[in-house]
Amino acid sequence: MTAYVALTLLGLWAAADRFAPYHGAPAACRVGHVIDGDTVALLCGAEKRVGRLVGFDAPEVKSPKCKAEAAWGAQATDRLRALLSGPDVMIYRQGTEKYGRDLVLITVAGRDVAAVMIGEGLGVDYHGEARRNWCG
């Protein structure tokens, strides 16, 4: 009976972390690689996940609407790679978005990556509203 209760509690704990993670705790993940200026591949133990950085939106590289967006998206991707290649990278899960990606806040040496990208003109403040037209 004790083993059944322990296994049930462990299962509930795992489900709670997946669907409503504690927002203040660092995730047990690391960045595998940068997909684009606001999306990363995460390695969480043996599990591979995709993380969408919260707080900003970067130009698209996969399906840009114009050449300017493609070039700007490449710059944002390169800058995010450079930021995340340094030490002191911390990842904080903030939930899951409508496409199933983890929403993550990432800091480097205590600085919010979203704020850095926005400050350098490689992204704009974004919280789920209509996306910016990078071509106009």
Side-chain angles (χ1 to χ4, degrees):
M1 179 69 170
T2 304
Y4 175 76
V5 171
L7 287 174
T8 301
L9 289 174
L10 187 60
L12 289 172
W13 178 59
D17 182 58
R18 174 137 177 96
F19 296 108
Y22 176 64
H23 295 308
C29 301
R30 63 183 175 84
V31 175
H33 67 274
V34 172
I35 296 171
D36 65 22
D38 56 25
T39 310
V40 295
L42 299 171
L43 301 174
C44 307
E47 186 179 9
K48 295 178 182 178
R49 305 173 72 109
V50 176
R52 169 67 166 84
L53 280 75
V54 296
F56 80 107
D57 184 47
E60 294 299 317
V61 294
K62 185 176 180 183
S63 54
K65 292 183 172 56
C66 63
K67 287 184 180 183
E69 182 177 15
W72 205 357
Q75 284 182 309
T77 302
D78 289 345
R79 179 61 176 134
L80 186 60
R81 275 191 190 108
L83 284 168
L84 300 182
S85 68
D88 301 322
V89 174
M90 297 295 294
I91 302 167
Y92 302 88
R93 287 188 59 216
Q94 304 289 302
T96 306
E97 49 102 85
K98 64 183 176 180
Y99 301 111
R101 300 178 295 186
D102 288 338
L103 293 170
V104 295
L105 178 128
I106 299 181
T107 62
V108 176
R111 295 182 349 180
D112 182 359
V113 169
V116 172
M117 296 291 284
I118 292 168
E120 294 180 5
L122 297 170
V124 294
D125 190 53
Y126 179 76
H127 299 281
E129 62 277 2
R131 296 186 65 232
R132 175 184 174 171
N133 177 359
W134 296 94
C135 300

